[in-house]
Amino acid sequence: MTLGRDSVLATEAARSPQLGQQMGADAAPTPPRSAAAEPNPLDSQPLYAARPKIYPQRVSGTFRRVKWLVLFITLGIYYLLPFVRWDRGPHAPSQAILIDFPNRRFYFFFIEIWPQEVYYLTGLLILAAMALFLMNAVAGRVWCGYLCPQTVWTDLFQVIERWSEGDRREHLQRDRQPWSLDRLARAATKHFLWLMIAWWTGGAWVLYFADAPTLVRDLATFQAPLIAYVFIGLLTFTTYTLAGWMREQVCVYMCPWPRIQAALTDEHALNVTYRYDRGEPRASLKKAAALHADGLAAGDCVDCLQCVHVCPTGVDIRVGSSLGCIQCGLCIDACDAVMQKIDRSPRLIAYDTDVNIKRRRQGLPPIYRILRTRTALYAVIIVLVGAVMVYTFATRRNDGISIIHDRNPLFVRLADGALRNAFAARILNKTLEPQSFVLKVSGLADAEIDVIGSTARAGGDPLIEVGPDQSREVRVLVTTHQRLAPGGSVPLTFTIAPEKGGTAASAADHFLGP
Ligand code: SF4
Ligand code: SF4
């Protein structure tokens, strides 16, 4: 895929019949101009073109079925997941996936992420980016065509549109007629259903942030927090606007991914491709018969425009690659149906690579290289990052301690000449049971350690109780009678160990003197 002027022109050509005709079927690049050359007619084209409304025609076939399947799975997951329960005992919520902002927790089935473990989110983002790059290297914009929320919701909205206003031809005809009661009722039905879907979409979103059944009840009785209504309204508006009104404009003008993916792809990536070596010169059946009678060649494309009519972004794939093509494969289904009707072999439009297009022109058999340096690299990064995440998660502690030295005063001299430093210690208990931890300090041979407000001890060391799935901050005093060198700073190690036994977690700081 190429970016830049040719690509933009290809997109515009697909959207503008006049420009498409000027560019010609093969989207031949504009020849370089010398100062003396005639002005290029394309330069006189206005830079702004009003959006032509697109009426995608219903189509059936393999890729349409795959898209239906993906739509049902992804929307089913999105709408139903908040209601899936996961028993974590009495001290934790029982929602399988929950982003619990008030308690600063993220629950994902058996995984519970604390704010200190936000690096898992970084790992997930890296994995998601690499998966996207890998998909792109193997099969181009397969994300855009099948999985992107914009595509999925637009598909769903188009089903509603076809149901209420009819398929392409009927809808086109109706739009040309003056407003009538029937037309008004159909349009009102469509927009009402769109708004209902958009509202459910916003409603499902907020359910990921609170206990879903409780929030549904609170929403219905107008007792939910205001922020929940605000977000439902916001997502209702964005879903209705993006999937109902803006549709392909989001992909063509707003989304950065087509620009990024065009820079990441190569000639071995599978893309929806019109096999012009087989299709051209295009000619209707009648014209092809006349050409054959004259001993001239005719391609398999009968110029029926079915591939254009089914395209959700209004692209003519025969013009060449363009930013407007989301690689959904619907034009393949449409063209296959035409080929079947006229008894020609399918896949005049197919997932294919740039390399194979060149090889076919040279009379060479196609080659498919899924395993290449970039796909191997992405796969290795996914495996490595995934392995690191699994390892760190499997070996992560269920407790922890962090220490902050008091900034003012750094130390105090007691009446008996001893030196004392104060610290704030935060102790984490990630288990779902209460835990008692023994707090020790090492680094100063005679250090005495005390916790303000706690007298519980185990073997002379402070004992600190932390509730289930909680953290507790305590003030810790460390006292020594040792003489420290002027400006002295002695490294200290604080450790906590479960009273019931187990390995200790530690944190380091310094004991400061005058
Ligand atoms: S040209 Fe074909 S693959 Fe591309 S968006 Fe249109 S229908 Fe989908
Ligand atoms: S559907 Fe196939 S035959 Fe018809 S115009 Fe498109 S490429 Fe040509």
Side-chain angles (χ1 to χ4, degrees), residues 116 400-407 421-428 439-442 449-451 464 472-478 490-496 505-511:
Q116 294 86 342
I401 179 172
S402 60
I403 288 280
I404 298 176
H405 197 292
D406 269 11
R407 291 172 71 86
N421 280 197
F423 302 84
R426 180 165 288 280
I427 296 164
L428 313 180
L439 176 66
K440 292 176 191 272
V441 67
S442 59
I449 182 165
D450 294 288
V451 171
I464 300 163
R472 182 178 167 193
E473 187 172 306
V474 290
R475 300 259 307 139
V476 177
L477 303 176
V478 178
V490 179
L492 292 180
T493 303
F494 293 85
T495 56
I496 52 155
S506 63
D509 212 309
H510 287 80
F511 190 93

Side-chain angles (χ1 to χ4, degrees), residues 134 137-138 268 368-377 379-380:
L134 182 59
V138 173
H268 289 284
Y368 295 96
R369 284 184 51 207
I370 303 276
L371 187 62
R372 14 189 236 282
T373 310
R374 71 174 65 207
T375 53
L377 186 69
V380 166

Side-chain angles (χ1 to χ4, degrees), residues 11-208:
T11 309
E12 291 308 319
R15 297 160 64 80
S16 154
Q18 301 90 342
L19 184 54
Q21 280 162 16
Q22 285 185 31
M23 289 187 69
D26 288 327
T30 312
R33 285 179 292 142
S34 68
E38 287 293 308
N40 190 323
L42 289 177
D43 289 345
S44 62
Q45 292 290 329
L47 291 176
Y48 172 78
R51 175 207 177 207
K53 188 171 174 186
I54 293 164
Y55 299 81
Q57 186 171 295
R58 200 169 69 84
V59 63
S60 53
T62 310
F63 296 99
R64 183 60 268 181
R65 279 195 291 277
V66 172
K67 276 171 70 68
W68 284 137
L69 188 67
V70 173
L71 183 145
F72 281 121
I73 293 173
T74 49
L75 291 184
I77 289 173
Y78 176 74
Y79 289 118
L80 297 179
L81 211 47
F83 295 97
V84 176
R85 305 288 97 187
W86 191 266
D87 186 12
R88 299 185 181 91
H91 301 296
S94 59
Q95 188 156 311
I97 296 185
L98 179 66
I99 302 161
D100 186 356
F101 274 125
N103 296 306
R104 298 182 207 153
R105 300 284 187 279
F106 169 54
Y107 299 95
F108 185 83
F109 294 92
F110 62 93
I111 299 171
E112 181 186 339
I113 304 289
W114 284 48
Q116 294 86 342
E117 297 167 323
V118 73
Y119 49 81
Y120 283 116
L121 185 63
T122 314
L124 278 179
L125 289 175
I126 295 172
L127 282 183
M130 287 302 132
L132 197 58
F133 293 173
L134 182 59
M135 273 191 238
N136 175 47
V138 173
R141 291 173 68 181
V142 69
W143 163 265
C144 305
Y146 297 85
L147 290 160
C148 173
Q150 174 64 22
T151 299
V152 172
W153 263 278
T154 302
D155 246 7
L156 183 62
F157 275 46
Q158 281 172 353
V159 175
I160 303 289
E161 188 168 72
R162 268 188 220 113
W163 178 76
S164 52
E165 306 217 52
D167 202 0
R168 177 185 162 81
R169 189 185 294 256
E170 194 184 337
H171 192 186
L172 264 166
Q173 280 171 357
R174 190 167 283 119
D175 273 7
R176 285 187 194 125
Q177 288 163 6
W179 281 99
S180 63
L181 213 56
D182 173 63
R183 196 179 156 196
L184 206 61
R186 286 172 183 275
T189 309
K190 176 180 83 174
H191 287 285
F192 173 74
L193 292 174
W194 279 1
L195 277 166
M196 283 298 99
I197 294 172
W199 178 63
W200 274 108
T201 305
W205 176 258
V206 298
L207 298 182
Y208 284 91

Side-chain angles (χ1 to χ4, degrees), residues 244-325:
W245 290 94
M246 299 189 66
R247 297 187 176 182
E248 81 290 345
Q249 296 181 88
V250 176
C251 314
V252 177
Y253 302 116
M254 290 168 65
C255 178
W257 177 236
R259 283 86 185 159
I260 299 169
Q261 81 84 222
L264 289 172
T265 195
D266 66 12
E267 70 277 18
H268 289 284
L270 285 165
N271 288 304
V272 175
T273 309
Y274 168 65
R275 290 171 168 162
Y276 61 87
D277 52 310
R278 181 186 143 189
E280 300 296 322
R282 64 187 77 161
S284 65
L285 285 176
K286 209 169 146 190
K287 196 171 155 196
L291 285 170
H292 287 145
D294 291 345
L296 296 170
D300 275 347
C301 175
V302 291
D303 210 11
C304 62
L305 293 178
Q306 286 302 300
C307 49
V308 185
H309 292 164
V310 300
C311 178
T313 59
V315 163
D316 184 347
I317 191 70
R318 298 171 303 166
V319 172
S321 303
S322 78
L323 291 179
C325 174

